[in-house]
């Protein structure tokens, strides 16, 4: 019997899990607009960036009930984000390895998701895997992207000329600018 062909943009999760289906591939980062929007403005054209992914479905026996529908999702991407220290591009590698339990109905999914450590989603006949991969990669973005050591020296307020060796006044830089001075 030939393996069934599955469409990652309209995946019937129940059938995919029943067949122990497997899919994998690469998508251009530019096709994931929300993720591409998070990249540094000076990063190379997003057409060169790719998101690698794989998905595997399985049915797991459940006590006293029908088998549970599970989806294992993996994805990797390399992005140029904006360093929050120096504002230059910093390369960040994102990697996700997640299991999702699918249950019938949004209400059941919401209730089980709040009670379980597992990620629970409503069972659907037309899951867009690319949207799910993008959502998970967005959640994996670092809260504060930054270099371990920034490649350029940071300009600090304390670099401004000071009139005395006494304590630094917080508005000393503004006073210098007001008198027509410069920061450099």
């Amino acid at each position: 019997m030939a393996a069934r062909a599955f469409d990652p943009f309209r995946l019937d999760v129940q059938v995919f899990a029943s067949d122990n289906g497997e899919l994998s591939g690469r998508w251009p980062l530019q096709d994931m607009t929300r993720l591409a929007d998070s990249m540094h403005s000076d990063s190379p054209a997003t057409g060169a960036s790719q998101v690698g992914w794989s998905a595997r479905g399985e049915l797991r026996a459940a006590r006293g009930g029908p088998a549970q529908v599970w989806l294992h999702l993996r994805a990797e991407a390399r992005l140029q984000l904006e360093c929050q220290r120096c504002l230059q591009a910093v390369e960040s590698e994102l990697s996700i390895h997640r299991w999702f339990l699918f249950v019938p109905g949004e209400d059941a999914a919401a209730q089980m998701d709040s009670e379980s450590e597992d990620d629970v989603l409503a069972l659907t006949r037309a899951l867009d895997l690319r949207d799910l991969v993008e959502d998970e990669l967005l959640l994996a973005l670092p809260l504060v992207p930054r270099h371990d050591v920034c490649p350029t020296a940071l300009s600090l307020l304390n670099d401004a000329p000071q009139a005395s060796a006494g304590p630094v006044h917080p508005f000393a830089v503004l006073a210098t600018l007001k008198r027509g001075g410069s920061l450099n």
Side-chain angles (χ1 to χ4, degrees), residues 4 60 71 78 80 82 89 94 103 122 124 128:
R4 194 181 311 218
R60 293 185 190 168
L71 177 76
R78 184 174 286 169
Q80 296 288 325
E82 185 173 286
L94 305 179
V103 297
T124 179
D128 187 336

Side-chain angles (χ1 to χ4, degrees), residues 27 32 51-54 73-77 94-98 133-134 136-137:
W27 286 315
M32 297 181 178
V51 174
W53 61 274
S54 67
L73 184 64
R74 291 178 177 248
E76 295 85 28
L94 305 179
S95 179
I96 58 164
H97 303 271
R98 305 287 298 256
V133 167
E134 183 177 20
E136 293 302 314
L137 287 172

Side-chain angles (χ1 to χ4, degrees), residues 81-180:
L81 302 175
E82 185 173 286
C83 174
Q84 297 302 297
R85 287 188 198 142
C86 67
L87 304 180
Q88 300 299 314
V90 58
E91 188 169 288
S92 295
E93 291 188 32
L94 305 179
S95 179
I96 58 164
H97 303 271
R98 305 287 298 256
W99 281 98
F100 297 94
L101 169 61
F102 284 84
V103 297
E106 292 286 340
D107 292 337
Q111 180 181 358
M112 284 186 71
D113 194 39
S114 66
E115 298 170 359
S116 173
E117 290 185 23
D118 296 315
D119 290 317
V120 182
L121 298 174
L123 192 59
T124 179
R125 291 181 174 259
L127 176 70
D128 187 336
L129 270 180
R130 185 172 57 196
D131 284 347
L132 183 58
V133 167
E134 183 177 20
D135 289 345
E136 293 302 314
L137 287 172
L138 284 167
L139 290 171
L141 285 172
L143 292 177
V144 182
R146 62 179 181 245
H147 296 100
D148 290 332
V149 176
C150 291
T152 58
L154 301 176
S155 172
L156 300 175
L157 291 178
N158 292 342
D159 292 344
Q162 297 180 9
S164 68
V168 177
H169 190 276
F171 296 104
V173 173
L174 292 176
T176 303
L177 288 173
K178 187 175 179 182
R179 288 190 300 266

